[in-house]
Amino acid sequence: MYTVISRFVTSSQKSPLLRCSVLKPSTLLSFRSYSSDPFRVKQSQPKKDAKPTSKFGKLVKYVQSEYFQDKTMPKIYLSAIIVAFIPLYFYMRDRYYEDKQLKIIREKYANDPKSLSEYEYLALKSLSQTDKLRPLEQKKYKIYQLMRKEFRRKNFLSGEMFNPSPEELDDWYSKQARFSSKKKKAPILQDVSEEYKVNSDNSSIAAPEDTTDFYDAKAKEYDDAVKWEERGIFMGIRRRWLMSHVKGDVLEVSCGTGRNIPYLSSYIEKVRSITFLDSSKNMVEVTKEKFEKAFPNFKKVAFTQGKAEDLLKMAPDDNSLKYDTVVEAFGLCCHEDPVQVLRNMAKLLKPGGRIILLEHGRSKWDFINNHLDFRSEKRMKKWKCRWNLDIGELVDEANLDITLEKRAHLSTTWMLVLKRPEDPITLDEKPFLDKLFGRESKSFRK
């Protein structure tokens, strides 16, 4: 065998394409063992694990050990479950006492609604989907909730019910830490004075003024000036929402140049008559041109020049002029007396009528409000618009109920459906469960 291999190698040396050295018997044996499995790789001897020198290395080795997996991990899981149950216990205990107190409040309300304290009334009303908390009530109820958390932490072992008086709440609230040195008081729900009103207390809100002459001069160029701003924030969607609520006899206050008219086409069949009102004569004329072009066959339409503050003076003395829907888009910021305007709207409503508002105002976040306040003077000069008003506060002062509230654009755009306190809610405004089971929605009044 060795001779054959040697001859093969000797003969191969003469060829330039095949060259190799002479194979020795020991090499041949190794060659035979690997020739049977050409993909076999010689395994190296396992090396002993090096001992970890760092603390992290020792920790990793300990975590990977069988002792840690079988003995330590179950203890860690059990401890985590116990720790998680501690806050859960206190949370459920707090909910238990809250539910217990609500049962007592409901019994008191059933016997005598006037016996409820201010906190009990707000707590009961906050659960109602029919009578929502008004903006001022919501602000005060949040303060009650903050005080309640502190009360529960100090009295978590006792079963004492949380029911402070407005004076106790005011004393607690005035002692809370705040950035400014000025002490603040909690809002008063009845007979609200100027001290508690955001719109009166905020010096950044421009003083109201008559904007009629300004918009008379702006009427022809107004649409071109605002169209790109509105397109950039998709304001058309909000205007369509506004027009989707119109029905019956409609009054649009502060109609401007009729920027809502293009979105009325889908809902014009629900409209019996429509009246457009604005203090600017030139803007009313632009609105008339747009409406007659869009709806040439609609006959029951009127175009009126006048200030919204004088609505009742313009209406007949026999109260025969009433509306099913009163709408307004971005008008409250331009009125001299927006609260009086809202009250006038309410008095011109038919029973069950609704006021639909699309307005810009203060946000839910302070950093946005700081920006609105910072630019309020420039905004007033450019558009005669007080865009940093608290719309919810205006609704409160006008004594109107909010049946639907939506916010957009960092909550600076308000979309509201308002009703008078004496009017019931409609079927569409009922909570889902009341619709499903045909129940009457309860209203909570003191």
Side-chain angles (χ1 to χ4, degrees):
M1 179 67 71
Y2 177 73
T3 305
V4 174
I5 296 299
S6 299
R7 289 178 181 177
F8 173 76
V9 172
T10 304
S11 63
S12 66
Q13 290 176 351
K14 298 178 181 180
S15 173
L17 300 177
L18 182 62
R19 297 181 182 277
C20 62
S21 59
V22 178
L23 300 177
K24 295 182 180 180
S26 60
T27 306
L28 183 61
L29 293 174
S30 177
F31 174 77
R32 284 176 176 174
S33 63
Y34 278 92
S35 62
S36 61
D37 188 0
F39 298 101
R40 182 177 175 184
V41 180
K42 187 177 180 181
Q43 296 181 351
S44 59
Q45 294 293 330
K47 296 181 179 180
K48 294 183 178 179
D49 295 337
K51 293 183 178 180
T53 56
S54 63
K55 293 182 179 179
F56 180 74
K58 292 179 180 179
L59 178 63
V60 171
K61 185 177 180 181
Y62 172 69
V63 170
Q64 294 176 346
S65 65
E66 293 184 2
Y67 178 82
F68 179 83
Q69 299 292 334
D70 297 339
K71 302 293 184 180
T72 310
M73 279 304 296
K75 296 179 181 178
I76 294 177
Y77 288 143
L78 183 61
S79 302
I81 292 173
I82 295 174
V83 170
F85 264 100
I86 293 175
L88 180 62
Y89 164 76
F90 288 110
Y91 174 80
M92 296 304 296
R93 195 171 189 272
D94 192 26
R95 299 287 76 75
Y96 166 76
Y97 281 113
E98 185 179 24
D99 184 66
K100 186 177 179 180
Q101 186 174 19
L102 285 173
K103 290 180 180 178
I104 297 174
I105 294 174
R106 288 191 176 97
E107 291 178 0
K108 289 177 64 177
Y109 181 82
N111 295 328
D112 184 10
K114 294 183 179 180
S115 64
L116 298 184
S117 67
E118 184 179 81
Y119 169 73
E120 290 174 333
Y121 169 72
L122 293 177
L124 187 63
K125 192 176 180 181
S126 67
L127 299 176
S128 172
Q129 296 184 5
T130 304
D131 291 331
K132 296 183 179 181
L133 290 174
R134 289 185 175 179
L136 191 62
E137 293 175 337
Q138 197 169 16
K139 290 178 183 178
K140 190 158 191 179
Y141 186 58
K142 285 182 179 179
I143 301 174
Y144 272 116
Q145 292 296 85
L146 292 174
M147 184 180 180
R148 184 178 180 277
K149 289 181 179 179
E150 181 177 315
F151 173 85
R152 186 53 60 199
R153 285 196 299 268
K154 294 180 179 179
N155 300 274
F156 67 92
L157 292 178
S158 68
E160 184 179 355
M161 298 295 179
F162 174 74
N163 191 15
S165 64
E167 292 75 20
E168 292 173 337
L169 177 74
D170 188 65
D171 181 62
W172 175 85
Y173 186 62
S174 62
K175 295 177 181 178
Q176 299 309 300
R178 49 179 52 89
F179 291 107
S180 61
S181 57
K182 182 181 177 181
K183 289 187 177 181
K184 292 186 177 182
K185 296 182 178 181
I188 295 178
L189 301 184
Q190 303 294 333
D191 299 327
V192 182
S193 62
E194 295 296 322
E195 181 183 0
Y196 298 97
K197 296 179 181 179
V198 175
N199 294 331
S200 300
D201 188 52
N202 188 358
S203 59
S204 299
I205 297 177
E209 61 180 78
D210 189 353
T211 61
T212 303
D213 294 337
F214 175 85
Y215 284 109
D216 266 334
K218 281 277 186 182
K220 298 299 181 183
E221 61 184 36
Y222 183 79
D223 285 339
D224 290 334
V226 302
K227 66 179 181 181
W228 291 112
E229 179 181 336
E230 291 201 359
R231 288 176 184 177
I233 57 177
F234 302 100
M235 189 58 72
I237 300 174
R238 319 303 169 190
R239 291 187 181 274
R240 187 178 299 278
W241 173 90
L242 182 73
M243 291 293 99
S244 68
H245 288 79
V246 300
K247 63 179 181 179
D249 296 315
V250 180
L251 169 66
E252 181 172 355
V253 179
S254 299
C255 63
T257 57
R259 294 191 62 80
N260 295 319
I261 292 175
Y263 308 98
L264 183 60
S265 57
S266 300
Y267 312 102
I268 192 65
E269 294 181 355
K270 300 189 301 180
V271 178
R272 185 183 307 110
S273 68
I274 185 167
T275 302
F276 294 95
L277 172 77
D278 199 281
S279 62
S280 169
K281 180 181 178 181
N282 294 340
M283 284 200 159
V284 173
E285 291 177 353
V286 176
T287 299
K288 183 178 180 181
E289 292 176 5
K290 286 184 179 180
F291 188 86
E292 290 178 348
K293 183 178 179 180
F295 309 102
N297 298 322
F298 195 93
K299 302 302 180 183
K300 292 185 177 181
V301 57
F303 305 91
T304 307
Q305 179 197 2
K307 298 181 66 174
E309 290 86 347
D310 300 330
L311 267 174
L312 298 182
K313 297 178 182 179
M314 299 165 61
D317 295 333
D318 58 358
N319 293 326
S320 59
L321 187 61
K322 297 288 184 178
Y323 298 95
D324 298 288
T325 313
V326 179
V327 298
E328 184 178 46
F330 307 115
L332 291 180
C333 58
C334 302
H335 295 311
E336 291 183 80
D337 191 348
V339 176
Q340 184 60 44
V341 171
L342 288 173
R343 289 171 179 165
N344 291 345
M345 292 180 183
K347 291 179 180 178
L348 289 178
L349 283 178
K350 293 180 182 180
R354 293 293 183 265
I355 299 172
I356 318 297
L357 299 179
L358 175 63
E359 304 287 347
H360 43 210
R362 300 191 74 77
S363 171
K364 295 179 181 178
W365 295 286
D366 288 338
F367 76 97
I368 299 294
N369 293 330
N370 292 337
H371 174 73
L372 298 179
D373 292 340
F374 176 72
R375 293 190 58 86
S376 63
E377 185 177 355
K378 293 182 179 179
R379 186 78 178 183
M380 188 64 181
K381 288 180 180 180
K382 185 177 181 180
W383 294 114
K384 296 299 178 182
C385 165
R386 300 188 294 161
W387 69 347
N388 52 345
L389 288 171
D390 190 324
I391 304 301
E393 185 175 292
L394 299 178
V395 173
D396 261 339
E397 292 184 62
N399 194 31
L400 293 170
D401 290 344
I402 299 175
T403 63
L404 176 65
E405 177 181 347
K406 292 184 177 181
R407 298 285 195 97
H409 307 130
L410 298 176
S411 80
T412 59
T413 298
W414 296 60
M415 294 174 283
L416 301 175
V417 178
L418 310 179
K419 73 177 187 67
R420 296 175 300 182
E422 63 269 22
D423 289 333
I425 64 171
T426 63
L427 180 63
D428 294 336
E429 295 168 342
K430 278 189 175 183
F432 173 74
L433 291 179
D434 289 353
K435 288 182 187 177
L436 183 63
F437 297 106
R439 299 182 307 202
E440 290 294 329
S441 299
K442 294 182 179 180
S443 177
F444 297 103
R445 301 283 178 186
K446 286 189 72 174

